[in-house]
Amino acid sequence: MVPLGGSFILVDDDGWKTDPLLSGRKRIPFLERDGQYWGSPRDDVSAIEELERLQEAGAQFIAFAWSTFWWFEYYVGLRQFLRTQFPCVLENDSILMFDLRKKGAPA
């Protein structure tokens, strides 16, 4: 889904321990500081602000690993923001991915 040379946010609570570059695509941890995983957001507002910051910095997609699906129950505002503002381009038992390039155009 992520084009070669593109970048994506991976929400995995640093559980997958992936490299910063995956098959020619830049992986950005969420939350992140200086490219390093920085823990979970304190609330919906900080989660959305961080998402928007990373989007402005060039992140094209956000992907949630299955181990972080609990975020959608805990961060209800973030869930609503993603579901109403961006198309979901992949949803299965392992991953949920939104296209951040198409704000205001949910699928």
Side-chain angles (χ1 to χ4, degrees):
M1 296 247 128
V2 180
L4 190 61
S7 62
F8 69 100
I9 301 163
L10 178 60
V11 183
D12 71 343
D13 289 332
D14 205 31
W16 288 4
K17 304 291 184 198
T18 54
D19 291 330
L21 197 61
L22 294 172
S23 302
R25 291 143 183 98
K26 181 181 176 186
R27 179 210 35 97
I28 304 164
F30 194 78
L31 300 175
E32 77 82 36
R33 293 291 179 269
D34 299 320
Q36 301 298 313
Y37 175 66
W38 204 255
S40 299
R42 68 180 169 273
D43 56 27
D44 288 306
V45 172
S46 62
I48 293 168
E49 286 175 351
E50 178 70 358
L51 172 63
E52 289 176 329
R53 180 184 75 82
L54 293 174
Q55 182 186 17
E56 287 176 16
Q60 299 169 310
F61 293 85
I62 185 167
F64 291 81
W66 68 268
S67 59
T68 60
F69 286 175
W70 64 267
W71 280 44
F72 294 105
E73 297 300 320
Y74 189 80
Y75 300 107
V76 175
L78 175 63
R79 179 187 74 215
Q80 291 172 337
F81 179 74
L82 287 167
R83 290 281 187 190
T84 60
Q85 295 298 311
F86 304 100
C88 180
V89 293
L90 180 62
E91 186 170 4
N92 59 40
D93 292 341
S94 301
I95 199 154
L96 183 61
M97 181 181 278
F98 295 89
D99 188 338
L100 302 178
R101 299 171 300 175
K102 300 177 181 177
K103 186 169 183 175

